Amino acid sequence: MYLSLSKPARTLNSMAKTYLNLLGYQGEQLVACARLLGKGISYPSVSIGRVASAMQCRGDGVGHQLLEQAIHQCETLWPNCEIEIGAQQHLHDFYVKHGFVKTSDMYLEDDIPHIDMKRANRG
């Protein structure tokens, strides 16, 4: 999988808040994406959001590659940062494999069970 980091984009609700998209391609086809957000946009800490992979790629390690690169990019862009996420609850074990720990009780977001998780600074 080839990964590409987008140019900074602005959130719709605040022109001062920017984020980056990490895009994963197999050949010409977009198969995975994640959004990287600086401190104070979604959480007090740096965050990763909108993590997704194409159905046909699930089980092939694409999600792990994407998340590893998203973490690396966050650590490069925002050194010594903690990373917070709002994870779908059924993906808890996936995120634990990448160093995240649960920090909240389950809550519903768009009628989907979620939990907050945090990855400590490893710098």
Side-chain angles (χ1 to χ4, degrees):
M1 180 173 64
Y2 165 74
L3 290 160
S4 173
L5 196 60
S6 73
K7 293 180 180 177
R10 299 205 183 275
T11 61
L12 293 175
N13 59 351
S14 173
M15 292 305 288
K17 296 179 180 179
T18 60
Y19 63 88
L20 297 152
N21 286 312
L22 182 62
L23 306 173
Y25 294 91
Q26 286 183 338
E28 299 283 321
Q29 185 176 11
L30 178 65
V31 295
C33 62
R35 184 168 287 172
L36 313 181
L37 303 111
K39 291 180 182 180
I41 297 176
S42 291
Y43 290 92
S45 301
V46 168
S47 63
I48 300 171
R50 305 290 183 187
V51 177
S53 60
M55 290 293 283
Q56 71 268 21
C57 296
R58 294 185 185 167
D60 293 342
V62 167
H64 289 287
Q65 290 176 13
L66 177 71
L67 189 57
E68 287 166 7
Q69 189 57 227
I71 291 167
H72 172 75
Q73 291 296 330
C74 285
E75 290 172 341
T76 299
L77 293 163
W78 302 287
N80 303 315
C81 66
E82 292 182 326
I83 302 171
E84 294 184 80
I85 61 172
Q88 290 185 16
Q89 188 174 30
H90 75 276
L91 294 171
H92 171 268
D93 293 344
F94 170 82
Y95 288 107
V96 165
K97 290 177 183 176
H98 294 276
F100 287 88
V101 295
K102 180 180 169 183
T103 59
S104 77
D105 292 329
M106 186 279 290
Y107 59 91
L108 291 177
E109 184 174 309
D110 298 325
D111 291 325
I112 300 168
H114 280 71
I115 53 173
D116 287 335
M117 302 184 81
K118 184 180 278 190
R119 185 177 190 275
N121 167 20
R122 303 223 175 153

